[in-house]
């Protein structure tokens, strides 16, 4: 295993790493206290676009952890930023499936959001943006399908087909994307991990060199593969979706594998000693 050295910044996943649903992982507060004690900058970068940065700040506060909104980057935020750099928000209409974390970043950057069945010639969306939606419905899927068939570009905040929760592993946003692809034959462009877009945005926010930045995650096919594609080292915890056996079965993998964030805390403190 490669030596755990020369680390100056971290990009940290949330679901499966910091918590399962509303259940915090053991050692959560100590982990963040260590990051603060060592003055290690970090970005909490999640593929889950169901909540806003403000909501994630509040969720962590309930778990005894204080973070700033600037330390959070969701795939919803990454998607809105990416699209704003390629489309004029003032003239672009978007139909969004997903929670507040999907549609609010688009609204904040000036995109006009269309509603259910607003699919006429002067109402149809130029973009269909799909994030995790816990209130998905026939009407939402139908509106997205009509817009896609009318020529809207198809954007997925992330493609995760599963989501670790306190109840077990459930379906993720990728399952909703698959339904729309089945209905239209159109494949979405994915912004979140394993595409390097969100990692590159996080690295820019951190202002740290690639060689001194590591990603921490629980999924091989998103967190770890995204790090590989970005060209940074990665650490996988075994408290989420992927297992040690999964690592053995792939032709790529993390730089380090540990049981949980308590081990990451120990390694960081040993590094600083």
């Amino acid at each position: 295993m490669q030596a755990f050295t020369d680390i100056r910044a971290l990009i940290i996943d949330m679901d499966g790493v910091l918590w399962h649903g509303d259940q915090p992982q053991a050692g959560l507060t100590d982990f963040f206290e260590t990051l603060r004690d060592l003055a290690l900058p970090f970005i909490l970068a999640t593929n889950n676009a169901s909540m806003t940065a403000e909501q994630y700040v509040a969720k962590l506060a309930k778990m005894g952890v204080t973070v700033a909104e600037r330390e959070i980057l969701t795939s919803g935020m990454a998607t809105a930023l990416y699209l704003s750099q390629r489309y004029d928000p003032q003239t672009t209409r978007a139909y969004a499936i997903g929670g507040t974390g999907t549609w609010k970043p688009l609204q904040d950057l000036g995109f006009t959001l269309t509603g259910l069945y607003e699919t006429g010639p002067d109402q149809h969306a130029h973009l269909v943006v799909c994030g995790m939606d816990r209130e998905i419905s026939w009407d939402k899927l139908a509106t997205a399908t009509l817009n896609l068939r009318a020529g809207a570009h198809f954007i997925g905040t992330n493609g995760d087909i599963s989501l670790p929760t306190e109840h077990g592993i459930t379906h993720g946003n990728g399952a909703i994307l698959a339904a729309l692809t089945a209905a239209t034959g159109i494949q979405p462009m994915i912004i979140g991990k394993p595409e390097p877009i969100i990692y590159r945005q996080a690295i820019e926010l951190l202002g740290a060199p690639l060689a001194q930045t590591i990603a921490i995650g629980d999924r091989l096919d998103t967190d770890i593969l995204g790090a590989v594609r970005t060209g940074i080292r990665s650490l996988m915890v075994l408290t989420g979706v992927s297992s040690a056996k999964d690592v053995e079965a792939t032709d790529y993998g993390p730089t380090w594998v540990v049981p949980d964030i308590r081990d990451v805390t120990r390694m960081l403190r040993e590094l600083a000693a």
Side-chain angles (χ1 to χ4, degrees):
M1 182 182 292
Q2 189 178 129
F4 192 72
T5 59
D6 199 22
I7 296 166
R8 297 293 180 269
L10 301 93
I11 304 172
I12 307 164
D13 184 47
M14 291 195 268
D15 292 297
V17 176
L18 305 182
W19 57 63
H20 284 168
D22 291 324
Q23 182 64 43
Q25 294 283 38
L28 180 67
T29 56
D30 190 32
F31 173 66
F32 278 96
E33 287 172 4
T34 297
L35 295 180
R36 299 303 188 195
D37 289 347
L38 301 181
L40 280 172
F42 62 86
I43 293 291
L44 303 179
T46 177
N47 264 4
N48 192 333
S50 62
M51 299 199 303
T52 64
E54 182 181 12
Q55 289 171 321
Y56 276 116
V57 167
K59 179 170 182 170
L60 280 159
K62 289 180 180 179
M63 297 179 180
V65 173
T66 300
V67 299
E69 288 187 31
R70 67 178 182 277
E71 293 173 316
I72 293 175
L73 178 63
T74 71
S75 64
M77 297 164 64
T79 296
L81 177 59
Y82 179 87
L83 293 175
S84 71
Q85 295 169 339
R86 288 156 180 82
Y87 300 86
D88 180 2
Q90 301 305 314
T91 60
T92 303
R93 294 185 295 273
Y95 177 68
I97 287 179
T100 312
T102 299
W103 61 260
K104 193 172 187 302
L106 292 166
Q107 187 179 69
D108 288 345
L109 289 180
F111 288 95
T112 297
L113 301 180
T114 63
L116 291 175
Y117 294 112
E118 289 184 310
T119 55
D122 298 321
Q123 296 177 311
H124 74 273
H126 304 103
L127 305 169
V128 169
V129 180
C130 184
M132 183 62 189
D133 194 330
R134 289 182 170 83
E135 298 178 350
I136 192 67
S137 67
W138 170 274
D139 288 333
K140 290 181 179 182
L141 292 172
T143 302
T145 298
L146 291 167
N147 277 304
L148 290 170
R149 289 186 176 278
H153 294 173
F154 190 12
I155 311 295
T157 60
N158 66 296
D160 300 32
I161 59 173
S162 60
L163 177 69
T165 74
E166 65 270 40
H167 306 294
I169 296 177
T170 67
H171 66 287
N173 188 48
I176 301 174
L177 298 178
L180 291 172
T181 295
T184 64
I186 301 171
Q187 293 285 343
M189 176 183 181
I190 304 298
I191 302 299
K193 301 171 277 188
E195 302 307 318
I197 296 170
I198 190 171
Y199 273 134
R200 288 172 181 163
Q201 290 180 2
I203 289 166
E204 185 173 349
L205 289 170
L206 288 165
L210 286 178
Q212 295 179 319
T213 303
I214 69 167
I216 299 176
D218 69 298
R219 296 182 66 118
L220 273 171
D221 60 346
T222 57
D223 306 317
I224 304 308
L225 182 56
V228 170
R229 290 178 175 177
T230 307
I232 60 176
R233 294 172 294 168
S234 62
L235 182 152
M236 192 177 91
V237 294
L238 300 176
T239 49
V241 173
S242 299
S243 68
K245 288 185 178 180
D246 293 331
V247 175
E248 296 173 1
T250 62
D251 57 3
Y252 65 91
T255 314
W256 307 280
V257 179
V258 299
D260 57 44
I261 56 172
R262 290 174 294 185
D263 296 276
V264 183
T265 299
R266 174 184 53 77
M267 292 164 70
L268 288 172
R269 288 202 177 276
E270 289 177 354
L271 178 62

